[in-house]
Amino acid sequence: MLDIKTIREREQDVRKALTNRGSDANLDAIIDLDQERRTHLTAVESLKHDKNTVSREIGRLKKAGEDASEPLAKMKTVGERISELDRRIREVDEALKTMLLAVPNIPHTDVPVGPDETGNRLVRTWGEPARFDFEPRTHIELGEHLNLLDLDRAARMSGSGFPLLVGLGARLQRLLIQFMLDVHTREHAYEEVAPPYLCTVEAMTGTGQLPKLAQDMYQVELEGLYLIPTGEVPVTNMYRDEIIRRPLPIRHVTCTPCFRREAGAAGRDTRGLIRVHQFEKVELVKFVEPEHSYAELETLVADAETILQRLGLPYRVRELCTGDLSFAAARCYDIEVWAPGQKDWLEISSCSNFEDFQARRMGMRYRPSEGKPRYPHTLNGSGVALPRLVVALLEHYQNADGSVRVPEALQDAMKMECLV
């Protein structure tokens, strides 16, 4: 959530930033409500001063045995007006909070300006896409040939957009998760957590999924809870409504299922593992001091890249432009892995710095070595997402006979060099 003081003091900068994002946030209404609130607060303070003056006068008159009916009547009128204004201030506060929750974050000044993904900037590439002397198969063809996937049974169970990995396919995914968690905890110094998979409205609001993205979420209506769309939600909310007592930075990693309605866009990649409503994801979350957050963003991206490098998968890193940023992000890098069977790049990780946007929404602060408590900056990124990692592995390491080589980093765990 944006600081109303920032909007008040940097109105033109905020307007330009929101225009660059393509946001339709009603800044005029927010500014009007803020002005009304401050006017009422000033009036209340003045009335309270008058009330104190009248109160002293009543005390003087009573002590002198004189008639105090007139100042008592005035006291009642002033008290009623204060109550009326206090009630209106509460209404304005609630309306202002609701409107501020719908305003996206302000992009960092270095973020490229653009209307959509066409304005994204290539940062770097790693590795060379595999070359084949045969027509590469898709992960669906490979998965069904090797009995790794059973998409038909998955569809009968849950409808389209839900995966079913079996046999070596399920084992491969399990070992990939273990591999990633081990790298991030043992080498990158993340603390592993195992959070709940359902979260409250307040938790979803804190990270920015609600109210903006309500239509994309799975809600458990009777309980008022939501299935998490990413491990970011419960892990970032670990410190909601509190002052963090631990020294920063704090780095957490988790692996959770993720549930998203929007993943199965009609007519595109609806069969297979690319666009699914349920998937596993290893998530990296950081809580850092504001002065260090952009350096921490670079290391976050590097941590996610390490996974793809260890697995020998070619990828590229792109910085998102203003029009392609997520609602809560101030700056974001996407990591895209090459999938030969798709003949396309697949987004496998988004690494974002939210600055203090999420911390303000969830009332989370930390205590620096000197001074008053401050809002930390929060960051997160996939480290990395499944099942697109499975897609890239199957398609990158395939052989002409339909078998798939096991990446060297997993061979000891799989105890095999090829999936057959």
Side-chain angles (χ1 to χ4, degrees):
M1 186 164 64
L2 295 186
D3 183 2
I4 187 61
K5 184 178 179 182
T6 298
I7 296 175
R8 190 187 305 141
E9 296 178 353
R10 297 173 49 206
E11 178 184 341
Q12 294 309 312
D13 291 339
V14 174
R15 287 187 183 278
K16 182 178 179 181
L18 293 179
T19 298
N20 288 340
R21 288 197 63 132
S23 170
D24 59 357
N26 192 344
L27 213 59
D28 290 334
I30 290 173
I31 291 170
D32 288 345
L33 282 173
D34 177 52
Q35 182 59 55
E36 181 183 350
R37 179 180 182 276
R38 288 189 293 152
T39 299
H40 291 333
L41 285 172
T42 300
V44 166
E45 289 303 313
S46 177
L47 288 169
K48 286 180 178 178
H49 175 75
D50 292 345
K51 186 177 179 181
N52 289 335
T53 301
V54 173
S55 180
R56 287 193 295 271
E57 176 65 11
I58 292 171
R60 186 190 66 79
L61 291 173
K62 286 185 175 180
K63 187 175 181 179
E66 299 180 23
D67 181 20
S69 57
E70 184 175 339
L72 281 170
K74 183 177 181 181
M75 172 82 86
K76 181 180 178 183
T77 300
V78 171
E80 290 173 349
R81 180 57 178 161
I82 289 173
S83 297
E84 180 184 335
L85 287 175
D86 281 342
R87 185 165 51 253
R88 178 55 185 163
I89 288 170
R90 288 193 295 270
E91 293 172 353
V92 170
D93 279 341
E94 188 62 30
L96 189 57
K97 180 180 178 181
T98 298
M99 296 194 74
L100 285 171
L101 286 173
V103 179
N105 203 354
I106 299 301
H108 186 275
T109 54
D110 289 341
V111 171
V113 176
D116 50 39
E117 63 181 12
T118 60
N120 294 344
R121 179 175 66 88
L122 179 65
V123 177
R124 59 182 168 272
T125 61
W126 186 92
E128 292 292 331
R131 299 180 183 275
F132 302 95
D133 56 7
F134 58 91
E135 182 64 24
R137 304 183 187 187
T138 68
H139 69 283
I140 299 175
E141 295 168 322
L142 292 164
E144 293 180 340
H145 170 68
L146 296 171
N147 296 317
L148 309 178
L149 305 175
D150 195 333
L151 300 176
D152 291 336
R153 284 192 172 92
R156 291 206 301 270
M157 279 188 270
S158 307
S160 63
F162 290 89
L164 173 60
L165 281 74
V166 296
L168 287 177
R171 184 181 174 195
L172 174 63
Q173 176 166 281
R174 171 168 55 85
L175 293 177
L176 283 168
I177 291 170
Q178 186 67 56
F179 166 71
M180 289 187 281
L181 289 174
D182 286 347
V183 169
H184 293 314
T185 55
R186 296 174 183 176
E187 301 180 30
H188 299 156
Y190 289 85
E191 179 184 23
E192 186 175 353
V193 296
Y197 299 158
L198 293 116
C199 279
T200 63
V201 170
E202 291 79 12
M204 297 283 283
T205 301
T207 47
Q209 276 73 26
L210 296 180
K212 180 71 173 179
L213 305 175
Q215 71 279 3
D216 298 335
M217 304 299 123
Y218 282 100
Q219 184 178 14
V220 184
E221 294 183 4
L222 293 179
E223 302 295 333
L225 297 171
Y226 287 83
L227 289 167
I228 60 171
T230 165
E232 165 200 352
V233 176
V235 177
T236 308
N237 273 278
M238 283 174 63
Y239 305 102
R240 180 166 61 92
D241 290 331
E242 67 177 85
I243 297 177
I244 299 173
R245 303 297 178 181
R246 299 173 56 181
L248 302 184
I250 296 172
R251 303 180 180 96
H252 287 312
V253 62
T254 188
C255 182
T256 68
C258 306
F259 304 90
R260 301 181 184 179
R261 291 183 186 276
E262 88 285 9
R268 183 183 176 191
D269 302 326
T270 54
R271 189 169 188 267
L273 301 179
I274 295 177
R275 290 182 177 270
V276 288
H277 297 294
Q278 174 191 320
F279 59 97
E280 303 286 330
K281 181 155 67 79
V282 172
E283 187 77 0
L284 309 173
V285 177
K286 293 185 178 185
F287 306 85
V288 306
E289 293 182 293
E291 295 79 7
H292 306 304
S293 68
Y294 279 98
E296 289 283 352
L297 176 60
E298 297 301 322
T299 62
L300 179 68
V301 177
D303 291 342
E305 289 181 75
T306 297
I307 299 300
L308 300 180
Q309 292 172 7
R310 297 281 178 86
L311 295 172
L313 295 174
Y315 65 86
R316 67 184 185 182
V317 179
R318 296 203 299 167
E319 181 174 8
L320 302 194
C321 70
T322 53
D324 203 26
L325 281 175
S326 68
F327 176 82
R331 192 172 195 177
C332 178
Y333 295 101
D334 272 3
I335 303 175
E336 300 172 337
V337 67
W338 178 252
Q342 310 305 309
K343 298 179 175 62
D344 200 3
W345 297 94
L346 303 179
E347 177 197 326
I348 200 167
S349 175
S350 286
C351 299
S352 302
N353 186 348
F354 304 99
E355 297 187 354
D356 64 6
F357 188 82
Q358 292 180 325
R360 286 183 180 277
R361 292 171 77 95
M362 60 182 66
M364 172 175 55
R365 295 178 294 166
Y366 76 101
R367 193 178 298 279
S369 56
E370 296 181 1
K372 298 179 180 179
R374 302 175 64 191
Y375 293 108
H377 283 192
T378 59
L379 302 87
N380 72 53
S382 306
V384 295
L386 294 136
R388 289 187 178 187
L389 182 58
V390 173
V391 171
L393 282 172
L394 294 180
E395 296 186 1
H396 179 80
Y397 283 104
Q398 63 179 292
N399 298 312
D401 63 358
S403 63
V404 175
R405 301 184 308 282
V406 175
E408 185 175 346
L410 300 178
Q411 286 181 9
D412 286 345
M414 291 289 291
K415 292 183 171 51
M416 60 178 64
E417 296 183 0
C418 201
L419 299 176
V420 291

